[in-house]
Amino acid sequence: MEPLDKLNEQITLVMRRLEQLPAEQEDADELVSNLLDLVGKRQLLLDEVLASPKEEDRALLQAQLELTSSFTTQAVSLLKHRQELLHVGRKSQRQLNVYKSIDAER
């Protein structure tokens, strides 16, 4: 199923780009939005196949299930990594504010 394969490739590319971008970069928000759209489109295509499953769709659905599991694992890992980056960024900002206030009191 060619449209599904293209969507899977696009999802993979967006996730790779997200892994490489710093959390505070504005492009990351747009990529997350694009990822959400792609996942929604993928779900619609899978729903079409599931609406009237045929025996020959069995291998396709099994492969898509494994890919979905892989995407889920990758997304959870990406989410945790981005949360850690944001936490570190907030901590650094707090430290910077403390140093600024100390410098202002001199």
Side-chain angles (χ1 to χ4, degrees):
M1 192 170 195
E2 191 174 323
L4 189 56
D5 292 337
K6 286 182 181 180
L7 275 175
N8 290 335
E9 288 176 25
Q10 290 174 333
I11 290 171
T12 301
L13 289 174
V14 169
M15 287 185 139
R16 284 185 188 148
R17 287 184 56 203
L18 275 170
E19 288 174 348
Q20 297 168 354
L21 283 179
E24 65 276 356
Q25 192 165 342
E26 291 179 19
D27 292 349
D29 292 340
E30 186 177 328
L31 283 175
V32 169
S33 179
N34 290 344
L35 181 61
L36 184 60
D37 290 340
L38 291 170
V39 168
K41 289 176 186 178
R42 182 176 187 267
Q43 185 60 49
L44 289 175
L45 287 175
L46 289 172
D47 286 345
E48 288 176 17
V49 175
L50 289 171
S52 56
K54 301 173 189 128
E55 187 60 35
E56 58 266 14
D57 294 335
R58 184 181 199 88
L60 170 73
L61 290 172
Q62 183 62 38
Q64 293 306 314
L65 178 62
E66 291 170 9
L67 192 55
T68 299
S69 178
S70 171
F71 284 155
T72 302
T73 302
Q74 189 176 3
V76 168
S77 173
L78 185 60
L79 173 67
K80 287 180 182 178
H81 176 67
R82 296 191 83 64
Q83 285 175 333
E84 289 170 5
L85 289 175
L86 289 171
H87 178 69
V88 168
R90 285 188 201 118
K91 183 178 177 182
S92 298
Q93 186 62 41
R94 275 188 254 129
Q95 289 174 340
L96 185 61
N97 289 340
V98 167
Y99 290 131
K100 283 181 182 179
S101 69
I102 290 171
D103 189 45
E105 292 175 6
R106 287 185 186 180

